[in-house]
Amino acid sequence: MSVRALVMAGGSGDRLFPLSTDETPKQFVKIFDGKSLFQKTLERASLTCDDIVVVTLEKYTDLARKQAEEVGMDVLIVGEPAKRNTLAAIAYGMRFVDDKAFILPSDHVVEVNERYFRAVKLAERASDENLVLFGITPYKPHTGYGYIQPEGSGDVSGVLHFKEKPDLKTAKEYVEKGYYWNSGMFVFDKEVFVEELKKYAPQYLRILEVEEGKLKGVYSGLPELSVDYGLLEHTDRLSVVKMETYWSDLGSFDSLYEYFPKDENENVVLGSAVLTDVERSLIISLDRTAVVGGLRNAVFVAANGVTLITRLGSTQKVKEMKRLYVRYAYDKAYVLG
């Protein structure tokens, strides 16, 4: 029985604008020891799988191929004709899988250790009968992640409920009750996946069935639907495997600040910057040297011809700020309340 890695690399990374852009989204930005998260994910995938399939959008296939070659990875790269969220992306990737798939987002960081490898092995075995997702043991209450309520406390368990991103009080309760973070990583047996897709989202089966040349027409008739909403929250063939390792989706500037090492003033600096009287701030300047002074608990990002300044703790609004930038770019200032 072979397990092929499916690396999902079609995300837009809107919450990391302007570091992440439509041309070079988050997963392809090289700020991690000179590598991108996509490249680091390929390297991690190669530790457990001999074959890797990258599912991205057609417009990113050349970029994905170039970055894979830079780290010496020989992978199959396929491009979706349109963006339809993770259920469609996984179904498309399953066209290139014979037995099982280890499904990995391309824009997360995961610490690889013995517990990681053990969890992957457990998931492979559990996937003979069920769809399997990985639940991360939380190391603190976090309001930026979804949560999973397991049936029990063992290494492999059933799933009682999926919980949306909570407020801080609720997040603390979830951690105390032994809930997991929803990692967005899965192991699916192809046969089980197809059987459950027939029951709960049969329109997505067309992705697996039609000729390649007809995929664009199929995609045009599909809604955007995540695998969680479209399948996992409905099926009764679902297991969660506990993964006790460091994990982050790096989905906001707050999480970037948390991830990177700090200087003596609790600042994170990526790129080139001169700081004076700056404390507990994230400073990113990739285009040129930034001179920054008098900031506390701030985010300063200068990249791709755009400068963004906001507060640490408020970076969930960045996606909305990008939308306003696109709408009002260069014409006028606009206040987001």
Side-chain angles (χ1 to χ4, degrees), residues 243-259:
M243 183 177 280
E244 296 179 294
T245 191
Y246 178 84
W247 167 91
S248 174
D249 72 351
L250 295 184
S252 68
F253 287 117
D254 288 322
S255 59
L256 276 185
Y257 174 80
E258 180 182 284
Y259 173 73

Side-chain angles (χ1 to χ4, degrees), residues 29-190:
V29 177
K30 296 180 180 179
I31 58 170
F32 301 88
D33 299 322
K35 295 179 181 178
S36 67
L37 288 171
F38 171 70
Q39 291 172 316
K40 293 177 79 68
T41 301
L42 292 183
E43 292 173 337
R44 175 162 37 88
S46 70
L47 299 176
T48 53
C49 301
D50 293 330
D51 296 313
I52 300 173
V53 178
V54 174
V55 180
T56 187
L57 295 179
E58 287 180 350
K59 66 179 180 179
Y60 298 138
T61 54
D62 288 343
L63 178 57
R65 187 171 294 107
K66 180 176 183 292
Q67 289 204 357
E69 291 172 352
E70 288 173 351
V71 291
M73 302 293 294
D74 182 16
V75 302
L76 175 62
I77 297 173
V78 297
E80 290 184 280
K83 186 177 181 180
R84 289 294 183 270
N85 214 315
T86 53
L87 184 55
I90 291 171
Y92 183 42
M94 283 293 187
R95 289 171 65 99
F96 308 94
V97 171
D98 296 323
D99 297 316
K100 296 187 179 189
F102 181 17
I103 300 162
L104 302 165
S106 64
D107 56 356
H108 295 182
V109 291
V110 185
E111 181 183 352
V112 176
N113 52 34
E114 290 183 7
R115 294 185 300 276
Y116 172 86
F117 289 117
R118 181 173 181 271
V120 173
K121 288 293 185 184
L122 287 172
E124 289 177 12
R125 290 198 291 269
S127 66
D128 289 343
E129 300 294 335
N130 289 334
L131 301 172
V132 179
L133 68 157
F134 292 93
I136 304 296
T137 303
Y139 54 86
K140 71 171 187 176
H142 202 298
T143 60
Y145 301 147
Y147 286 73
I148 301 163
Q149 182 182 5
E151 283 185 344
S153 58
D155 292 330
V156 183
S157 174
V159 176
L160 291 177
H161 297 290
F162 288 84
K163 301 292 186 179
E164 294 299 311
K165 297 174 183 178
D167 58 28
L168 184 57
K169 179 182 177 182
T170 305
K172 290 178 179 178
E173 294 173 357
Y174 288 168
V175 172
E176 290 172 358
K177 292 179 179 178
Y179 289 18
Y180 303 137
W181 287 335
N182 187 347
S183 72
M185 297 187 294
F186 315 98
V187 175
F188 291 170
D189 178 272
K190 185 173 184 176

